[in-house]
Amino acid sequence: DVKVTQSSRYLVKRTGEKVFLECVQDMDHENMFWYRQDPGLGLRLIYFSYDVKMKEKGDIPEGYSVSREKKERFSLILESASTNQTSMYLCAIEFPRAAGYDNEQFFGPGTRLTVL
Amino acid sequence: AQKVTQAQTEISVVEKEDVTLDCVYETRDTTYYLFWYKQPPSGELVFLIRRNSFDEQNEISGRYSWNFQKSTSSFNFTITASQVVDSAVYFCALSEADTGGFKTIFGAGTRLFVKA
């Protein structure tokens, strides 16, 4: 079974705090993604990574950074949390075309972050 | 530019009714992939189906069916004889080539309520 785990289901932080959201996968896939989900806006891509130490900006990278030191772990960092970063954060891995898939994504359970 | 539009924000039906969720996309690529995902109240997104741009054949899986029409850039999803367990948010997504791989964007989602 595919397993994508996120470090917390619920998190409450204060404005200005540095926040780390961790995502770990056990499938040895290269491609990993961070999205945020907000009502009426669907999922918006923050950052993604195609391999270790590689990162690419998504559609809304401002206020975020990422780290991919090991293949199985992709971390999302809020350098200085703000109230407009209150959201549901979803991590995903992508099933590769080389393995016979067509880029469908498998998601973790999500982290609901509240910034006060 | 990539775009996915799910014009229906919420749909409410009574059990056993048929319901169609609309998805319209925009892309300049000739090679792309379309997906539907389901997000039940538990929160985890679940992959339902993928379609590549070269395969316009419609698909049926149990009570679910998908109608892909390139002429209208639509990829609609129909649930036949809906059940309460179908209540969820459904997302349509488009994946097309980007630097180093493929980039996926999601529509805003359609919330489906199925009443007993």
Side-chain angles (χ1 to χ4, degrees):
Chain A
D1 276 356
V2 178
K3 202 165 185 182
V4 177
T5 56
Q6 295 184 230
S7 48
S8 309
R9 287 302 300 267
Y10 300 94
L11 207 54
V12 180
K13 295 291 181 181
R14 297 211 171 271
T15 302
E17 280 192 73
K18 190 168 186 175
V19 182
F20 292 87
L21 303 182
E22 303 284 339
C23 176
V24 179
Q25 52 122 339
D26 66 349
M27 294 296 290
D28 200 36
H29 287 324
E30 283 81 20
N31 300 350
M32 297 184 74
F33 303 80
W34 274 107
Y35 296 89
R36 65 177 280 177
Q37 182 182 4
D38 300 288
L41 298 176
L43 277 71
R44 292 180 292 165
L45 182 63
I46 305 172
Y47 267 97
F48 56 106
S49 169
Y50 290 137
D51 209 340
V52 176
K53 298 208 185 283
M54 290 182 61
K55 59 183 179 183
E56 297 284 344
K57 291 181 180 178
D59 300 314
I60 51 163
E62 297 78 20
Y64 303 94
S65 62
V66 289
S67 172
R68 185 98 182 263
E69 296 297 319
K70 293 184 178 180
K71 198 175 196 181
E72 67 269 19
R73 188 180 296 269
F74 189 35
S75 303
L76 181 69
I77 303 159
L78 287 66
E79 296 289 343
S80 177
S82 63
T83 54
N84 63 13
Q85 292 178 309
T86 292
S87 186
M88 168 72 90
Y89 289 88
L90 292 160
C91 174
I93 61 172
E94 190 171 77
F95 285 67
R97 298 183 67 209
Y101 298 94
D102 278 333
N103 308 314
E104 56 261 41
Q105 296 186 357
F106 187 88
F107 287 82
T111 296
R112 186 166 292 284
L113 172 68
T114 302
V115 182
L116 303 174
Chain B
Q2 268 182 318
K3 191 175 178 182
V4 176
T5 303
Q6 293 180 256
Q8 304 147 307
T9 306
E10 287 186 3
I11 301 175
S12 185
V13 299
V14 177
E15 210 170 19
K16 296 183 184 171
E17 279 187 40
D18 298 347
V19 58
T20 295
L21 309 182
D22 298 332
C23 175
V24 175
Y25 63 93
E26 290 178 32
T27 178
R28 282 183 288 214
D29 279 8
T30 54
T31 301
Y32 54 89
Y33 300 87
L34 295 163
F35 305 86
W36 276 96
Y37 290 86
K38 175 182 179 180
Q39 187 179 40
S42 60
E44 289 191 43
L45 271 88
V46 176
F47 163 77
L48 293 178
I49 191 173
R50 71 174 182 276
R51 258 293 171 261
N52 73 57
S53 52
F54 300 109
D55 182 4
E56 277 193 82
Q57 194 171 12
N58 292 330
E59 178 147 344
I60 298 174
S61 175
R63 296 184 296 107
Y64 294 172
S65 62
W66 291 269
N67 185 334
F68 176 29
Q69 298 211 352
K70 288 176 78 169
S71 60
T72 55
S73 296
S74 65
F75 186 43
N76 297 337
F77 173 30
T78 297
I79 302 174
T80 304
S82 59
Q83 299 176 2
V84 172
V85 293
D86 296 326
S87 296
V89 181
Y90 291 87
F91 291 95
C92 180
L94 165 69
S95 180
E96 62 180 22
D98 190 76
T99 307
F102 276 72
K103 182 178 169 183
T104 301
I105 65 162
F106 288 76
T110 297
R111 185 177 294 276
L112 175 65
F113 295 99
V114 181
K115 295 179 280 192

